[in-house]
C-alpha cells in the first residue's frame, strides 16, 4: 500500500477518466519538451525520405508532401512527463499513403529528425491509420517549438515517439532503440500500460 | 538490448525542508536503497490521497551525487496540483513515493570535462545546481560559467550558497534580473542578451558543453542566442520546466 500523503487532495480531472491513461494529468496548455535547440530548416531545403531496408528509397520535397491527400483528425496525446491533452486537431498525410511508395520486408522504423533526434517504432504501429506526418495544428501551420514544419504523430504511443522536426523514416529489419530509448525510456511506450521507462 | 531492472517506487522520508525563496522550497529526502544519480537527472514523485487518488510529477534533483540525501527544490505554482502541496504542506517526517533517477542527455560529471556553460531561468537552476555542487564536491577547476535569470534578487534560489562558492578558480556565476537592477557587482539587469553571453563566455571557439534549463520562453530565447553566436547545436542540451 502506498503511504497516504497527509493532506493531499489532488485535483480530479473533469473529463471521463477512461480517457486518461494511468499516472497522467490533464492539461489545456501545450507544453514543449526537447533536448536541444529548436531547428529552423527552410522549406526549400526540407524533404521527407523513407529509406533503409527498402527496394528503392522514396522522397518528397515540401511541395510534393503537402500536395498529397491530407487528413484532418482529432486525437488525444499523452506525454511521458505526465501531461495529456485531449481532442487535439491535426492536419497531415497518413503514413499509409507514404509507405505505399516503398517495398520492404522491414518490421521496424526509426524516425529521424533535424537536430539528430531518433525514435524507433514497430512498422505495425505506423500503418492502418495509426500515424501521420503532420504539418498543421488547429488549422494553423505547426510552430517550430511544437515540431514544425512537420512532425511525426503516433498518438497511441507516448508523445516522444511523435518525433518533432521529422525528416524521414529509416526502415529496419530489427528493432534499433532511438535517442530516449537508449537513455532509459521504454522501447515501445504504451501509455495505457504506463510503459514510461525500461522495465515498466 | 540490455535488460534493465525496473525503476521501482521507493519510500522517501522528508529529513528537512528549506525555504529557498517565498515560493520555492527544498525537500531533503532520505531514500533507503537509493542507487545514486548523475547531476542533472530527475525523479518522479507520486502522491496518494486518502481515497486512493494518485498524482505523479517529475522534479529535478538539486543535490550532488556525493550528497547523502536526495534534495528536490520545488517552485510553487499557485494553480498547480502537486507543487503547492510539496512546497507548502509537506513537513519533516512525511513520506513520499519516488522513483528514479531518470534522464541521460541532460547530465554532467567532472569526468565529462569542460568547459561548461550553464544558463538557468528561475527554478531551471535546480538541475544545474546539482552540476555546480558536484563540481565543488570534487574541488574541480573545470572552466565553468553560469548565468541565472530571475525577476528580482528575492526570487534567486541558492543565492547565498553560490555567492559563497564563487568566484574562484575557473568559476564565474552571474545573475541577471529581469525586473530589478542588479544589487551585486558583475550582475546584469534585463533579459539574457547576446552581449551578456559574449562577456560571460566561454566562447563558441572552445566548444563548451552547454546546459540550458528554464521555462520554454527562456530556453527558446537562450538557445537561439547561443546558436546565433556560433555554438554547435549538438553541444547544447535543453530542459524545460512546465507548471505542475
Amino acid at each position: 500500500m502506498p503511504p497516504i500523503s497527509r493532506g493531499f487532495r489532488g485535483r480530479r480531472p473533469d473529463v471521463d477518466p477512461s480517457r486518461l491513461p494511468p499516472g497522467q494529468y490533464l492539461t489545456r496548455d501545450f507544453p514543449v519538451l526537447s533536448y536541444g535547440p529548436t531547428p529552423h530548416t527552410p522549406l526549400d531545403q526540407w524533404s521527407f525520405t523513407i529509406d533503409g531496408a527498402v527496394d528503392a528509397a522514396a522522397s518528397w520535397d515540401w511541395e510534393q508532401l503537402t500536395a498529397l491527400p491530407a487528413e484532418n483528425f482529432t486525437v488525444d496525446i499523452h506525454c511521458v512527463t505526465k501531461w495529456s491533452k485531449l481532442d487535439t486537431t491535426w492536419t497531415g498525410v497518413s503514413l499509409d499513403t507514404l509507405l505505399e511508395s516503398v517495398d520492404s520486408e522491414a518490421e521496424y522504423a526509426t524516425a529521424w529528425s533535424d537536430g539528430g533526434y531518433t525514435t524507433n517504432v514497430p512498422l505495425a504501429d505506423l500503418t492502418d491509420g495509426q500515424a501521420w506526418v503532420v504539418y498543421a495544428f488547429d488549422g494553423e501551420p505547426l510552430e517550430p517549438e511544437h515540431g514544425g514544419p512537420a512532425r511525426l504523430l503516433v498518438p497511441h504511443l507516448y508523445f516522444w515517439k511523435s518525433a518533432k522536426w521529422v525528416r524521414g523514416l529509416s526502415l529496419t529489419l530489427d528493432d534499433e532503440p532511438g535517442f530516449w530509448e537508449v537513455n532509459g525510456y521504454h522501447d515501445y511506450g504504451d501509455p495505457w500500460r504506463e510503459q514510461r521507462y525500461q522495465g515498466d | 538490448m540490455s535488460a534493465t531492472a525496473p525503476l521501482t517506487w521507493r519510500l522517501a522520508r522528508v529529513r528537512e525542508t528549506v525555504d529557498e525563496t517565498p515560493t520555492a522550497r527544498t525537500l531533503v529526502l532520505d531514500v533507503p536503497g537509493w542507487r545514486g544519480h548523475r547531476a542533472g537527472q530527475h525523479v518522479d514523485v507520486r502522491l496518494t490521497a486518502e481515497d486512493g487518488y494518485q498524482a505523479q510529477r517529475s522534479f529535478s534533483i538539486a543535490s550532488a551525487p556525493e550528497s547523502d540525501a536526495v534534495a528536490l527544490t520545488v517552485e510553487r505554482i499557485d494553480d498547480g496540483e502537486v507543487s503547492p502541496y510539496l512546497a507548502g504542506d509537506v513537513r519533516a517526517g512525511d513520506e513520499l513515493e519516488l522513483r528514479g533517477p531518470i534522464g541521460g542527455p541532460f547530465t554532467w560529471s567532472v569526468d565529462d570535462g569542460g568547459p561548461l556553460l550553464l544558463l538557468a531561468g528561475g527554478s531551471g537552476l535546480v538541475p544545474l545546481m546539482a552540476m555546480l555542487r558536484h563540481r565543488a564536491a570534487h574541488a574541480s577547476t573545470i572552466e565553468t560559467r553560469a548565468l541565472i535569470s530571475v525577476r528580482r534578487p528575492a526570487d534567486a534560489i541558492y543565492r547565498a550558497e553560490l555567492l559563497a562558492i564563487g568566484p574562484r578558480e575557473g568559476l564565474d556565476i552571474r545573475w541577471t534580473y529581469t525586473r530589478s537592477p542588479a544589487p551585486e557587482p558583475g550582475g546584469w539587469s534585463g533579459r539574457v542578451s547576446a552581449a551578456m553571453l559574449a562577456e560571460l563566455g566561454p566562447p563558441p571557439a572552445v566548444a563548451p558543453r552547454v546546459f540550458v534549463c528554464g521555462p520554454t520562453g527562456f530556453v527558446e530565447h537562450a538557445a537561439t542566442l547561443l546558436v546565433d553566436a556560433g555554438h554547435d547545436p549538438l553541444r547544447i542540451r535543453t530542459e524545460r520546466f512546465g507548471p505542475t
Side-chain angles (χ1 to χ4, degrees), chain A residues 30-157:
Chain A
F30 196 162
V32 170
L33 295 154
S34 59
Y35 71 87
T38 298
H40 296 272
T41 301
L43 292 183
D44 61 7
Q45 292 166 33
W46 188 94
S47 62
F48 185 83
T49 302
I50 301 179
D51 61 8
V54 295
D55 292 346
S59 191
W60 298 262
D61 65 20
W62 183 255
E63 277 189 25
Q64 290 167 329
L65 186 105
T66 52
L68 293 171
E71 296 179 9
N72 259 303
F73 57 95
T74 299
V75 293
D76 300 343
I77 55 179
H78 312 291
C79 178
V80 72
T81 63
K82 324 292 184 312
W83 58 264
S84 289
K85 190 172 172 62
L86 306 185
D87 298 322
T88 61
T89 300
W90 305 84
T91 309
V93 179
S94 169
L95 275 188
D96 292 312
T97 304
L98 299 171
L99 287 164
E100 273 175 16
S101 300
V102 294
D103 283 319
S104 178
E105 301 291 315
E107 295 192 14
Y108 296 91
T110 294
W112 60 271
S113 302
D114 282 322
Y117 184 69
T118 58
T119 188
N120 54 309
V121 185
L123 211 46
D125 286 86
L126 296 178
T127 50
D128 295 328
Q130 297 183 90
W132 298 262
V133 172
V134 295
Y135 45 77
F137 171 73
D138 258 351
E140 301 290 332
L142 187 57
E143 291 176 23
E145 67 183 48
H146 291 304
R151 74 181 298 162
L152 189 64
L153 201 79
V154 195
H156 70 286
L157 300 178

Side-chain angles (χ1 to χ4, degrees), chain A residues 6 11-12 34 197-198, chain B residues 4 44 51 81 85 94 238:
Chain A
R6 176 188 50 77
R11 181 181 302 155
R12 317 306 153 102
S34 59
Y197 311 118
Q198 285 180 36
Chain B
T4 304
D44 284 357
D51 64 354
E81 181 184 22
Y85 180 81
D94 283 352
T238 62

Side-chain angles (χ1 to χ4, degrees), chain B residues 66-229:
Chain B
E66 293 75 18
S67 170
D68 70 341
V70 176
L72 311 178
T73 301
V74 180
E75 176 86 31
R76 184 170 66 242
I77 310 294
D78 286 335
D79 61 351
E81 181 184 22
V82 169
S83 67
Y85 180 81
L86 292 178
D89 299 331
V90 165
R91 296 194 297 244
D94 283 352
E95 287 180 328
L96 305 167
E97 281 187 296
L98 169 157
R99 71 171 179 157
I102 299 150
F106 201 88
T107 61
W108 180 76
S109 129
V110 290
D111 297 333
D112 297 337
L116 201 56
L117 173 57
L118 310 176
L119 302 180
S123 57
L125 177 57
V126 175
L128 308 181
M129 189 63 184
M131 298 179 190
L132 290 168
R133 286 170 165 161
H134 166 67
R135 181 185 177 282
H138 286 258
S140 165
T141 56
I142 286 172
E143 200 66 26
T144 300
R145 302 279 177 269
L147 176 56
I148 303 154
S149 174
V150 291
R151 288 191 192 124
R152 298 177 184 85
D155 299 318
I157 56 176
Y158 316 133
R159 188 175 158 84
E161 179 180 344
L162 290 173
L163 286 170
I165 66 170
R168 58 185 60 181
E169 190 179 356
L171 183 63
D172 188 0
I173 300 171
R174 311 277 197 101
W175 284 265
T176 185
Y177 305 91
T178 57
R179 297 190 194 170
S180 152
E184 76 279 350
W188 284 295
S189 188
R191 206 177 183 207
V192 171
S193 68
M196 289 179 204
L197 294 177
E199 186 181 330
L200 181 69
V206 300
R209 296 168 189 280
V210 189
F211 294 91
V212 186
C213 186
T216 291
F218 172 86
V219 171
E220 286 292 319
H221 172 67
T224 300
L225 290 177
L226 290 163
V227 172
D228 289 349

